[in-house]
Amino acid sequence: ADRRSAPSVLPSLTAVVVGRSAPLPLRSALGRAVCRAVARHTPLQLAIFASLSPQLEPEESAEGGPMGRLLVSLLERAALNQVEPEQLWFAFHLLLAMLWGNQGVQSALPSMRVAFLGGEEPAELFLDLLLMAFSGCARKCLEVLPDDHSSSPTGPSAPAAAVVAALKLLAYWLACCPTALATFAGSPVMVPRTMELIAMGDLCGSFYRVQIEGLAALVMGVCIDAGAGAEVDSASLMRLTASGVGIEEFHNKMDRLFRSEALQRPPRQRDAFRWHNNKFRIFVKERQQAIQRRMMQLYVSEGIGRGGAALSEDVADQYKQLIRVQDEKFREVQKENEQLRAEVEAFMRRSLQASSAALLEKMEALTKENEALHLEVAQLEQEGRERAQRSGRELRQCRAYICELEEQRDSMAVGYEQLERTSEELRREAGELRAALSAAEKVRQGSADELTLATAAAAAQQQVDELRAEKADAMELLGRIMAACPEASRFVAPLAGGAHGAGASHAEPG
């Protein structure tokens, strides 16, 4: 929800939490949520604080008044012995959330007026009203007949639950506000009433005995732990505690409260009822340690034994016994610490031995892997250098090839130019030849007959030349026959004469 609208929703939620109509699981879950929101946001704390004062014209709400006046009315009825345990339980915790971590509200609340002068209300100031309500709840609780309640109750239905809530509120407020502490510690009613609660026994059952006696002892311890500015006689309160319940039993009651299941392990269910939360457990632990230190300082101081020899001896005996118990616990813790240290050292040695072998194997494996990686890197570097050299050679070759291609390109350009000139000359010559051819065809058509006669004469002359050559060869052959064989001359002579005649006849036409 938006923070601006939260104060307007808070009165309705408060009315449900401290009312009677809603079931307890719903009020428990809602009460935790509202208390957590109020404790974390200062505007919500101031809203509850401002609504505590009496209103001249009160605003109407779900329960007939502002949220702060609902809480005041519950406290007023408790002061008049009209104790409503469940409603008071949630009312006290809302007031505790209003005070938590807010020093301004803590210091201003003691003088906060909750009633007009001359009215019928039991008290005019909030601090007086709270102390009277606490006294009324304690009286109601101490009047209950003894009964054994061994198990933890499931809700704040008993009057003792209201006392538990009131003691929680007082323990926190007194530890934070010196004014409220001085008023409580100087009251002739509150201190005896608190001592009665410390020694109440099993009047309300074992559960409430642990809670009430422990919280009452915590409240008394807060008074003893008061600083110098609180105007509280811490030594007298310590003597009263020693004579009333004893120092050891006093610390045992606080220790039983701190180790109780209701404080250490509250239920985790959202709708489950919780007696305490984690913040209050931390507060109890811190206050318990501070009270022990303060009581030890008072014990060793000079003024602690001036009230009477018997009381001083009782306090001394109680502290001696407490010191013996603490020494025994210290020795046990020291012994346990030594055992744990020895076990840790042995475990560390075993772990170191086991881890040393593993680390050695791992180191050898890493060394081998490192060498392999170095070898691989060297190979990769060599391959890179070779690849670079090869790339350089290829680059130079490519450049040379490019140069050759460029020269060839230039040569081809020159040749192409020459080819174009030659082609042009051939085209011109072809044109001239076409013209000559057309002229020759014209001449050939006009002298075709003359060419035929010339051709026939040339063929006849060639045939005559061939015949003359054959005749000369034959005559030479006959002459050789006649020279070689004179007897054959009479057979060859006619052939020679015929040959001469034939030759003459053939020669005439020539």
Side-chain angles (χ1 to χ4, degrees):
D2 191 359
R3 292 185 179 180
R4 296 179 179 178
S5 61
S8 61
V9 178
L10 187 59
S12 301
L13 298 178
T14 303
V16 175
V17 171
V18 300
R20 303 176 181 84
S21 59
L24 180 60
L26 175 59
R27 284 188 290 159
S28 298
L30 186 59
R32 284 200 306 272
V34 172
C35 290
R36 188 182 298 113
V38 171
R40 293 179 180 178
H41 298 89
T42 302
L44 300 181
Q45 294 174 327
L46 296 177
I48 297 178
F49 174 76
S51 63
L52 295 174
S53 60
Q55 306 291 324
L56 294 177
E57 295 181 358
E59 299 178 359
E60 294 296 329
S61 68
E63 292 291 334
M67 53 185 174
R69 298 307 299 174
L70 293 176
L71 307 180
V72 170
S73 63
L74 288 172
L75 296 181
E76 290 175 348
R77 287 197 294 272
L80 299 174
N81 293 327
Q82 299 176 8
V83 178
E84 301 170 284
E86 290 189 5
Q87 286 71 33
L88 284 172
W89 170 269
F90 292 108
F92 283 131
H93 280 83
L94 284 171
L95 293 173
L96 179 60
M98 178 190 68
L99 292 169
W100 199 272
N102 195 324
Q103 296 181 355
V105 175
Q106 294 167 5
S107 59
L109 194 57
S111 58
M112 180 70 177
R113 187 172 296 278
V114 295
F116 296 111
L117 295 175
E120 297 179 355
E121 291 79 3
E124 297 178 358
L125 300 179
F126 179 83
L127 178 58
D128 297 336
L129 179 60
L130 178 61
L131 296 180
M132 293 176 66
F134 166 66
S135 180
C137 293
R139 282 196 306 270
K140 193 71 174 178
C141 177
L142 295 174
E143 292 174 358
V144 176
L145 295 177
D147 191 9
D148 184 15
H149 298 283
S150 58
S151 61
S152 174
T154 59
S157 58
V163 178
V164 172
L167 288 172
K168 290 174 65 175
L169 176 60
L170 287 173
Y172 181 78
W173 191 19
L174 298 182
C176 301
C177 181
T179 303
L181 178 61
T183 303
F184 182 89
S187 173
V189 177
M190 294 298 106
V191 174
R193 184 68 70 187
T194 305
M195 295 300 299
E196 291 179 3
L197 294 176
I198 293 176
M200 69 175 293
D202 290 330
L203 186 62
C204 297
S206 59
F207 174 80
Y208 284 118
R209 177 182 181 179
V210 173
Q211 299 298 318
I212 293 177
E213 287 184 352
L215 289 170
L218 181 65
V219 172
M220 186 58 65
V222 169
C223 295
I224 296 174
D225 187 39
E231 300 179 358
V232 176
D233 190 357
S234 300
S236 300
L237 293 176
M238 183 172 172
R239 293 189 185 96
L240 179 62
T241 303
S243 62
V245 295
I247 300 299
E248 182 180 4
E249 183 63 21
F250 177 80
H251 287 286
N252 288 338
K253 292 179 184 297
M254 286 194 297
D255 189 59
R256 283 194 292 268
L257 169 67
F258 182 74
R259 291 186 291 105
S260 64
E261 184 176 1
L263 184 62
Q264 293 294 333
R265 291 180 294 276
R268 295 183 178 275
Q269 295 81 4
R270 294 189 177 183
D271 58 346
F273 179 76
R274 297 182 186 179
W275 293 95
H276 306 286
N277 58 13
N278 295 331
K279 290 184 178 180
F280 191 76
R281 182 178 68 250
I282 297 173
F283 168 75
V284 171
K285 183 62 177 178
E286 293 175 351
R287 300 318 307 171
Q288 184 181 6
Q289 295 175 354
I291 291 167
Q292 290 178 353
R293 290 192 298 267
R294 178 58 176 166
M295 294 183 77
M296 183 62 71
Q297 292 175 0
L298 293 174
Y299 169 71
V300 298
S301 64
E302 297 179 358
I304 193 65
R306 283 201 280 254
L311 182 60
S312 180
E313 291 177 359
D314 178 72
V315 173
D317 292 338
Q318 296 289 342
Y319 269 107
K320 287 178 182 177
Q321 187 175 0
L322 179 61
I323 291 172
R324 283 195 296 271
V325 173
Q326 291 179 349
D327 289 340
E328 292 177 359
K329 291 182 179 180
F330 177 74
R331 284 192 293 270
E332 292 177 358
V333 172
Q334 189 175 12
K335 184 178 179 180
E336 184 179 359
N337 189 19
E338 292 176 357
Q339 293 177 355
L340 291 175
R341 185 181 292 109
E343 292 177 0
V344 169
E345 290 177 356
F347 176 74
M348 290 298 294
R349 284 194 298 270
R350 291 194 299 270
S351 301
L352 184 61
Q353 292 175 357
S355 61
S356 298
L359 287 175
L360 183 60
E361 295 178 357
K362 188 175 182 180
M363 184 182 68
E364 293 177 354
L366 290 175
T367 302
K368 293 180 180 179
E369 185 178 359
N370 190 17
E371 293 176 356
L373 290 175
H374 278 293
L375 181 60
E376 185 177 357
V377 168
Q379 293 177 355
L380 291 175
E381 290 178 351
Q382 181 65 24
E383 292 179 359
R385 288 192 294 270
E386 293 176 357
R387 189 181 295 107
Q389 293 176 0
R390 186 166 57 253
S391 299
R393 289 195 301 269
E394 292 178 356
L395 180 61
R396 289 192 296 271
Q397 293 176 358
C398 290
R399 289 177 178 173
Y401 183 67
I402 290 172
C403 293
E404 292 179 0
L405 291 177
E406 290 178 351
E407 292 177 357
Q408 292 179 5
R409 183 197 62 188
D410 296 339
S411 301
M412 290 179 65
V414 173
Y416 183 73
E417 185 178 358
Q418 293 178 356
L419 181 62
E420 286 183 349
R421 288 197 297 269
T422 303
S423 177
E424 184 64 28
E425 293 178 355
L426 290 175
R427 281 195 297 271
R428 187 171 57 253
E429 292 178 358
E432 293 176 353
L433 289 174
R434 289 191 188 95
L437 180 61
S438 58
E441 288 180 352
K442 292 178 179 180
V443 172
R444 186 180 58 184
Q445 291 176 358
S447 60
D449 297 335
E450 294 178 0
L451 289 174
T452 303
L453 291 175
T455 303
Q461 185 65 37
Q462 184 178 359
Q463 187 176 4
V464 170
D465 291 339
E466 292 178 353
L467 291 174
R468 286 178 180 176
E470 292 178 355
K471 178 182 178 182
D473 292 337
M475 289 302 292
E476 183 179 359
L477 179 60
L478 289 175
R480 290 180 181 178
I481 295 172
M482 289 176 69
C485 185
E487 293 85 0
S489 58
R490 62 180 182 271
F491 297 102
V492 176
L495 295 173
H500 285 285
S505 62
H506 283 293
E508 287 179 359

